[in-house]
Every structure is written in structure tokens, then in C-alpha cells.
Amino acid sequence: MSGDESLLESYIIEEQQLLESLENLLLDGEHGRKLNSDQINEVFRVMHTVKGASAMMEFDEIARLSHALEDVFSFIRDNSIADTQWPAIFDLMFDSISFFNGEISKLQSGNSPDGDASSLIGRASETLLSLKSGQDKDGEKSDADDISSSASDIDQKAALDVKSNNESAGLCYIVKVFFDENSKMENLRAFGLIESLKKLRCVISSDPADLNDNSTAEKIRDNGLLLHIETKESPESIKNILEKTLFVKSFSILPAEDTSKRESTLVRNETVGAKDKPATDEIKSQKTAERTALPDTNSIEAISKQNFISVNVNKLDSLLNIVGEIVTAQSIVVNSVDLTSQQQEKFEAASEHMSSLIKELQDVVMSIRMMPISTLFHKMRRLVRDMSRKVGKEIELELIGEETEVDKNVIDALSDPLLHIIRNSVDHGIEDKETRLASGKPAKGKITLEAKMTGSDIIVTVSDDGCGLQRDDILKKAKEKGIISEIDNDMPDKDVFALIFIPGFSTNDSVSEYSGRGVGMDVVKRNISQIGGSVSVESKNGAGTKIIMRIPLTLTIIEGMKFNVGSMNFIVPITLVKMIVKPEQKDVFTDADGNEIFMSQGAYYPLIRIKNYFGLDDGVDDITRGMVMHLSSEEKEFCIFFDEVDGQCQVVVKTLPGYLSQCSTDLSGIGGCAILGDGSISFILDVNSI
Amino acid sequence: MARIMIVDDAAFMRITIKNMLKRSNHEVVGEAENGLVAIERYKELKPDIVTMDITMPEMDGITSLREIMKIDPNAKVIMVTAMGQEAMVRDAILSGAKGFIVKPFKEEGIISAIDKLV
């Protein structure tokens, strides 16, 4: 069944892409309170595609709903509708997208899409009805009618053509045709058959006569199609055509004389077209042009699309893992050979070449995993839209740097924190309209979501122009919760705001549907630090809050500085190392509480002895016999004391095995581990948690 | 065995049709995701049969069909359509499509249609 699985997989991937682009299109459209004709066409097309694919997969509810929506947009496409009707259509579409997404995620987790779309389908048909009735009131003639009438004009004209071609009457035949069950649109199959038979320069009439009327399909399905053919060609040639016609199940050809009785029942198709053919052609070509014309951006996208394939991300994950293993294995190999000097030279050249290839491979794999952060940002648009409606605030979401590319892991890890921060901003940050106007702000609140790249990090900031964090409230709350023992009014803002990241802290007592449901900023911090990043907050009372998340660009392979304490190996990300010095006794001071302080580059920093911090048995105690490293991150700046530096290395970061956290209650200070070139294990320091 | 080109903007439909055709030992010589690409591919590949979706971005199936018929009046194009597209199916027939199949369809349906055209 693997074929079916991959089919389902590609169904899911494609539907997700379609729904995402649809949602973005609708969000753009809602900004202007209506969709333009290109956008309407696009919605129609997406719904049509979803319908077709879902029907093939026999996901009936998805197919039914997309069919109903397709009908709505088919009507909108062919008729102009009043601006007042758009809000209901947007709501219907957004709710439907939520339904589709829900069903798709059921499929993703291996369940069947058992949701009931009836109420949405009901809404779709009501919408269609009200659109139609609005149209009747306006007294406009619908274009759809034009199309079908123009099509029938052509048929009638064509029937005339056939007749005029026929100079002298030949023999008459009665032909009865049945089409395959389930072949559908039998009236058009009949129409197509008649078109092919016209090659015989014959006069044809059919029963049922009106093949433009789609309801005749059923009659033909049940009773077959009866044709009266007058031609000079042999019955063989009729037979040849019938045999080549798709979905013809059975047929019979009889000379007309034998069935003269039946002939009287035939209705002759001799109506003369009333309209001029050129006029109808013009209408049709206009229609086609409208349907074909798409903005340039779309065409670029459509053309570039064929260069992409979709790959299961699990495959990329294992590819990345394998590359990581290769990096490790390679350094084990390089470090463990013992060769004569002549061999050594060759070996070094070869191993250097191999390293550069591995580096290249690594870069390529990393770049495959990169995706624009826009996918994540656009989800937030929907969130802000839905939430701001619920809480009755007008909020604009500005997206900056959507094109920034980040690793897939980062996107996954950022999703929840972003949701949470934005919920907070909408719920607690942005004030209601009256308060905003009273404090001289524009009525519409603004949240800005920005991503940018620095050398080694990606920085994602969420800022709002709301009321900002209330310093005093935070201090009060922190004391109530026992997070701080005393309110210190001299505490710097940065430290006060950092309190919100401590587990159990939540400044707002009221729990709303969206935020403050037990999960706090501590979860945000935890998620971000899990991918090696850091969070900080800036806020100005009355002017807004800014939350800054800094995440390393490549997650799994870092450039590190190795050092040891006794027999233990440690690694610290090289980007955080400011300086390494051989200390002298005079550089170390002790403060009133007995904490050691180190003077580095003219400033004082806390000095942490790694041996004492982790409670290690061996290691240097004498300051003059060890080394000091000055570390600086977004959040913290301090110095560490250890035995010796082991040099620089590139390592693959592995998360600590789960059982370690069960053995020890406190793993703070350790961000992960890595296997070194000689096969030994080294711990990676988590600078922010020390 | 026929050499077939599949034209559909939905990758899912292309895969579905391809799987069905392959099981009956037909050769899928190419795919196109819109009508414009289909015309180019048709010129290169000269497939025996084309399955052509109607609603596609960039260029719809009917326009593409007409262009292909201009290039090769003997082209065998089967339209892949859905209920509700009757007017377009009619256009397609008048423009030279050899037939049409209606989504959702079963494997036997598309195979019998192809076999009849070969």
C-alpha cells in the first residue's frame, strides 16, 4: 500500500500549500474588503482543485464543501456582486479553511477525515442563494446564462452547417447508443459523438434533442441515446466512429425503414440560431481572455514551480543526521592515523579534500532545510485577524523580512512562542480604541513582526505599540508569587522585565480565550532555548513592548571552543567567546558576598569556576595555573575559570539523552553534548542558563 | 502501450493518473502543470495521447488544446473535467478533444478511454 501512502502524502502536501496560499490571498483581499477578478479566479481554481483531488481520494465531506464553495465563486466570477456581500463570504471562506485544515491534520495523524461539513455547506448554499437573489433584484442578466445560450447558438448553427453540406439525401439509419455507467455528462458525450459523426457529411437528429440541457444526461444514461442519421456513407463508417468513441458501452445500427414507427418519435433538431455567431464568439473569447490573463507575478511563480519537488522533512532530518555522523567519523579517522611522513603528506592532502567536500555537503543539506519564515508569519496574520475581531480591537500586523530563510527546525520551534507572544500583545498589550485615542495614539493598534539575519543568528522581534509592561505590577506580582523576596525599586528595567520569563509568572489575572491559559512567557523562553536561542524584552510604559528572540542560524553543527576541567571536556560556542586570558592573582577580587569577580578589559565580571559550578572532583584550583574565558551572550556576560584550552573544533550538537534528566534534578548550564574526534564525549555549555 | 503526457496543475492529480497509467503499462513521457508548458512539451515530446485538465493557471486546458490542435491536427487529447464544467467540455469537443473523463474517475475508466484511442 506504499503507493497509496505516498499518494495520500502528496495529497496532504498539495492541499496544505493550496490552503495556505488561499488563506493569504483572502487575508490580502479582506484588507481591501473585496477580491479583484484575478483573486476570484484563483479562489475558484483552488476550490476546484481541492474538490477534484478530494473526490479522487473519496474524502467526501471535503469534496462536498469545496464543491459548494466552487459554486459560490463560479457565480461571483461570472457576476459582479455588491460590496456589502463580501464580509459574509470572507467569513465563510475562513471558516471553511479552518475546516479543511482540521481534516487535513486528521489525515496527517493517520485518522480519517470524519468531520461534518454540513453546516458550512448550508452556509455556502445560503450565500449563493442570497447572491443570486441580490442579482435578480438588480435585474442584471447573468453571464452564465450568456455562456450557455451562446453555446447552444453555436450548436444550432453547427446543425445547420451539417445540413447545408448535405447536398443529396442518402440512406437513413437509426442508431442506439449506451454509454458506460459512471461515465457522466452523457449529454455531452452524445454531443461529442454527433460532432464526430458529422465527418460523414450527414444529417443527424437525436432523442433527446436538447443536448445542451444537462438534465438530459440522466435520460441518456437510463434509456440510451437514439440517433437518426441520414448519410450516403456505409453503415460500416458509422460503426467505426462509434467504436472509437470513448465510453461507448454498446450500440446498434439499423436501417430506418425497419423502424419507421420509431422514427416518428424522433424530434428533429432544426431550430435556427437566432443570434449572430460572431457576436457570441466575441463574448466567448473575452471570457477566455479573462480566465487566461493572470498577473505577471503569478506567471513567474508558475514557471519557477516546476523546479521544486516536495520532500518529506523526516528524510531531510535523517540526511542531516547522517551528515553530522560523517563529520564526527571523519575527525575520528583523521585523528587516529599513524603514518610515515611520506604517507602523511598524501593522507593530509586527501583528508583535506574530503573535509572540504563534507563541508560542502553540509552546507547543501543545511540550505535544503532552509525555508522562508513567511510561512510562519502568514499564520500569524490569520491569528491577528481572528483575535482582533473577537476582542473588538482594530489591529494591523506588519510583517518585515518575511523572505528571511531559516532552518525548518527553527520554524517549528518558533511557532508556539510566536503564537503566545502575539496573543499576549493582542489581549493585554494593545489597548482598546477609547484608551488609545485618549492617550493620543491612533485608534488602530499595530503589531510588527520582524525577522532579520545577523552573521550567525536570526533575530525575530515582535513589537506592539500598546501599553507596555507595567514595572510596578511586575515587581508586586513577583513578590506575591515568591519569585523575589523584596521589591527593589532600583532594580534595572531589564532585570524587572526578565522576571516575566520565570515559570509561574503571569501578569494578567483575567484568563481570556486566547492568552493567559496557564502557559506563560516561561514556555516561550524554554522553547527558544531548546533550539539554542535566547529571549529578551524591552518595554516602555505607554509606548509598547518589544520581544526579541535570537536564534543561531544553524542549529546542529556549531563551531566551538574546547576546554577541560580535570578529565571533563567542555565546549562553548565560539561566537560567545570574547577573550581567553592567562589570569593573574591581581585580576581576581572577592565581593562582600564572597563571590569572585574578574577584571577583564577594564570592567568587572562575575567569575564562575566550572569545577565548583558542576561539582567536579578534579581540576585546578589555583587561579594562576588555570585559564579564564570571557563569555558574552545577548543575556549575560561573565567569565569562567577552567584548566586548559583544547582548541577550536566543529561539532555536531546532540541533545542530552532523556534519562539524564531523570538521574539529575539540575542540568542547567549544559545545553547538549557532542562526540569529539577521538570518540570522547564533551558537554556543550549553555551560557544563558549559567 | 501508449506514450502519454499528463497536463494538470495539481501534482496530486498528476501522480494519481500516472500511477493508474503505469499499472496498465503505459508510458508517461511527460507532465505539464499548465496549458502553456503543455504546448512546449507537446512539441518536444510528441506524445500519443494527452490528458488535459481544464482549470489551470497561466493557460487553461481549452486554450492549450486549441494550440496543440493547431500544431498537430491529429493530436489525441482527452480532457479531464469535473461536474459543473459542461459548457467548457462542449468548447473542448468543438475544439477537437477526442473525449473527456469526469473526476472523480476510476482506473478502468481512464484506461479504457486510452486503450480506445491507441
Side-chain angles (χ1 to χ4, degrees), chain A residues 296-333:
Chain A
D296 282 345
T297 49
N298 275 16
S299 57
I300 291 163
E301 201 178 55
I303 289 162
S304 60
K305 235 184 212 169
Q306 50 187 319
N307 292 326
F308 290 98
I309 56 161
S310 302
V311 179
N312 186 330
V313 75
N314 293 337
K315 289 183 187 165
L316 286 184
D317 283 344
S318 57
L319 182 60
L320 183 66
N321 265 334
I322 293 169
V323 172
E325 298 293 339
I326 293 176
V327 173
T328 312
Q330 183 227 10
S331 66
I332 294 178
V333 170

Side-chain angles (χ1 to χ4, degrees), chain A residues 105-383:
Chain A
S105 51
K106 283 183 202 167
L107 285 168
Q108 261 179 320
S109 49
N111 299 317
S112 61
D114 52 1
D116 183 4
S118 299
S119 75
L120 283 167
I121 294 168
R123 273 171 66 189
S125 5
E126 276 166 32
T127 308
L128 187 56
L129 273 179
S130 83
L131 290 179
K132 279 183 177 162
S133 68
Q135 216 62 46
D136 292 345
K137 252 180 263 165
D138 295 349
E140 283 177 30
K141 191 170 181 280
S142 86
D143 287 356
D145 291 346
D146 275 352
I147 266 210
S148 65
S149 61
S150 66
S152 74
D153 291 343
I154 289 172
D155 299 343
Q156 284 150 2
K157 181 93 170 143
L160 273 186
D161 288 347
V162 175
K163 194 164 187 192
S164 59
N165 281 345
N166 184 48
E167 285 136 17
S168 57
L171 291 170
C172 287
Y173 300 93
I174 299 289
V175 177
K176 184 146 193 174
V177 185
F178 281 95
F179 293 102
D180 282 338
E181 287 144 44
N182 279 325
S183 64
K184 297 179 202 128
M185 295 191 196
E186 285 79 356
N187 56 322
L188 292 173
R189 299 201 178 278
F191 173 74
L193 174 60
I194 292 170
E195 281 299 308
S196 340
L197 287 168
K198 279 181 187 167
K199 283 182 216 139
L200 303 176
R201 296 194 300 141
C202 55
V203 180
I204 306 170
S205 59
S206 68
D207 178 25
D210 187 7
L211 299 176
N212 293 316
D213 179 357
N214 295 332
S215 65
T216 54
E218 205 178 323
K219 277 187 221 158
I220 299 173
R221 198 175 307 148
D222 298 339
N223 308 325
L225 171 75
L226 208 53
L227 294 174
H228 183 261
I229 302 174
E230 201 179 315
T231 179
K232 284 199 277 188
E233 306 273 339
S234 69
E236 275 302 300
S237 49
I238 299 178
K239 188 176 160 234
N240 283 343
I241 288 177
L242 280 164
E243 278 174 347
K244 281 200 176 141
T245 305
L246 306 190
F247 296 101
V248 167
K249 187 169 81 177
S250 60
F251 61 87
S252 59
I253 306 172
L254 295 171
E257 287 77 18
D258 297 345
T259 54
S260 48
K261 274 183 203 162
R262 267 189 240 167
E263 193 188 11
S264 59
T265 66
L266 291 180
V267 183
R268 294 190 75 100
N269 191 1
E270 282 176 342
T271 355
V272 179
K275 280 190 189 171
D276 297 341
K277 197 178 174 188
T280 59
D281 266 359
E282 205 174 273
I283 294 171
K284 290 172 85 68
S285 61
Q286 266 176 9
K287 281 266 154 209
T288 322
E290 261 173 39
R291 244 170 264 150
T292 325
L294 281 166
D296 282 345
T297 49
N298 275 16
S299 57
I300 291 163
E301 201 178 55
I303 289 162
S304 60
K305 235 184 212 169
Q306 50 187 319
N307 292 326
F308 290 98
I309 56 161
S310 302
V311 179
N312 186 330
V313 75
N314 293 337
K315 289 183 187 165
L316 286 184
D317 283 344
S318 57
L319 182 60
L320 183 66
N321 265 334
I322 293 169
V323 172
E325 298 293 339
I326 293 176
V327 173
T328 312
Q330 183 227 10
S331 66
I332 294 178
V333 170
V334 171
N335 288 331
S336 57
V337 283
D338 191 11
L339 300 166
T340 65
S341 62
Q342 211 181 0
Q343 288 169 315
Q344 184 77 24
E345 218 167 274
K346 265 188 182 169
F347 177 80
E348 266 172 16
S351 74
E352 210 151 282
H353 185 215
M354 188 167 78
S355 330
S356 71
L357 287 179
I358 292 175
K359 181 83 185 41
E360 220 169 289
L361 177 64
Q362 188 186 317
D363 288 347
V364 170
V365 174
M366 294 312 288
S367 73
I368 293 175
R369 298 172 48 88
M370 299 296 251
M371 49 197 282
I373 203 162
S374 56
T375 45
L376 186 59
F377 277 16
H378 285 174
K379 268 192 216 158
M380 303 303 148
R381 292 176 70 186
R382 176 74 192 273
L383 175 79

Side-chain angles (χ1 to χ4, degrees), chain A residues 369-659:
Chain A
R369 298 172 48 88
M370 299 296 251
M371 49 197 282
I373 203 162
S374 56
T375 45
L376 186 59
F377 277 16
H378 285 174
K379 268 192 216 158
M380 303 303 148
R381 292 176 70 186
R382 176 74 192 273
L383 175 79
V384 170
R385 172 197 180 265
D386 288 357
M387 264 194 83
S388 54
R389 283 181 156 213
K390 274 249 161 75
V391 299
K393 294 174 185 171
E394 253 189 90
I395 299 171
E396 177 193 351
L397 178 70
E398 189 187 11
L399 303 178
I400 302 173
E402 299 167 69
E403 68 290 340
T404 310
E405 289 202 327
V406 296
D407 192 281
K408 173 82 173 59
N409 287 344
V410 175
I411 299 235
D412 294 344
L414 265 179
S415 176
D416 283 349
L418 273 188
L419 274 177
H420 188 80
I421 295 169
I422 289 180
R423 279 172 184 166
N424 268 341
S425 281
V426 176
D427 236 6
H428 311 312
I430 306 271
E431 316 89 328
D432 56 39
K433 202 171 167 182
E434 291 71 30
T435 321
R436 288 183 66 87
L437 288 173
S439 50
K441 290 184 188 177
K444 202 173 193 178
K446 187 172 179 182
I447 297 177
T448 308
L449 195 49
E450 181 179 7
K452 66 176 176 208
M453 199 107 84
T454 67
S456 60
D457 297 309
I458 155 170
I459 298 172
V460 179
T461 50
V462 185
S463 45
D464 65 47
D465 65 348
C467 56
L469 292 175
Q470 310 299 311
R471 187 192 149 93
D472 295 342
D473 292 351
I474 293 174
L475 284 171
K476 214 175 102 195
K477 187 89 170 190
K479 184 156 187 296
E480 275 169 29
K481 300 262 173 186
I483 295 167
I484 50 171
S485 51
E486 230 162 288
I487 291 179
D488 174 9
N489 286 324
D490 295 333
M491 202 168 168
D493 277 353
K494 201 179 170 184
D495 295 347
V496 174
F497 297 148
L499 291 170
I500 64 168
F501 294 114
I502 292 173
F505 188 93
S506 163
T507 45
N508 206 305
D509 289 320
S510 65
V511 173
S512 81
E513 184 189 346
Y514 286 106
S515 58
R517 211 187 287 147
V519 275
M521 294 298 286
D522 57 312
V523 177
V524 170
K525 190 184 163 86
R526 199 168 61 216
N527 281 7
I528 299 292
S529 56
Q530 263 166 10
I531 51 168
S534 62
V535 198
S536 61
V537 56
E538 288 168 16
S539 181
K540 214 172 159 197
N541 196 1
T545 308
K546 187 176 190 177
I547 301 213
I548 303 138
M549 285 163 280
R550 185 183 278 265
I551 298 135
L553 206 53
T554 54
L555 294 170
T556 46
I557 300 179
I558 61 161
E559 197 73 35
M561 181 63 79
K562 281 192 289 185
F563 64 88
N564 67 61
V565 177
S567 57
M568 295 284 281
N569 294 312
F570 294 92
I571 290 173
V572 60
I574 209 150
T575 47
L576 304 181
V577 179
K578 229 175 162 183
M579 198 175 62
I580 301 173
V581 288
K582 187 92 190 146
E584 288 176 41
Q585 194 64 51
K586 68 173 172 59
D587 298 329
V588 182
F589 304 88
T590 310
D591 72 4
D593 298 330
N595 299 320
E596 280 183 303
I597 292 173
F598 187 81
M599 194 179 87
S600 171
Q601 294 171 311
Y604 296 95
Y605 300 97
L607 180 68
I608 293 165
R609 289 173 185 253
I610 295 297
K611 180 186 168 190
N612 300 351
Y613 185 83
F614 290 113
L616 306 176
D617 292 333
D618 48 358
V620 178
D621 288 316
D622 181 358
I623 272 289
T624 55
R625 288 180 52 216
M627 303 283 287
V628 165
M629 198 185 293
H630 183 170
L631 299 176
S632 153
S633 78
E634 182 84 348
E635 292 174 32
K636 289 188 173 175
E637 194 159 0
F638 57 89
C639 296
I640 55 170
F641 177 73
F642 55 93
D643 293 12
E644 301 176 296
V645 175
D646 286 341
Q648 220 170 306
C649 64
Q650 205 179 45
V651 292
V652 184
V653 181
K654 306 258 177 197
T655 49
L656 289 173
Y659 57 81

Side-chain angles (χ1 to χ4, degrees), chain A residues 7 14 45 48-49 51 53 56-57 184-185 188-189 191 212 214 245-248 284 292 294 299 306, chain B residues 9-12 15 41 55 57-58 63 82-83 85-86 90-91 93-94 100-101 104-105 109 113 116:
Chain A
L7 207 57
E14 190 159 69
R45 199 181 63 75
H48 180 78
T49 307
K51 178 188 78 169
M56 289 299 291
M57 293 296 285
K184 297 179 202 128
M185 295 191 196
L188 292 173
R189 299 201 178 278
F191 173 74
N212 293 316
N214 295 332
T245 305
L246 306 190
F247 296 101
V248 167
K284 290 172 85 68
T292 325
L294 281 166
S299 57
Q306 50 187 319
Chain B
D9 59 325
F12 167 79
I15 296 172
R41 294 270 154 85
T55 317
E58 187 79 357
T63 315
M83 293 308 288
Q85 294 191 312
E86 283 80 358
R90 200 182 307 269
D91 284 356
I93 291 169
L94 291 171
F100 60 95
I101 51 175
F105 48 84
K116 246 182 200 174

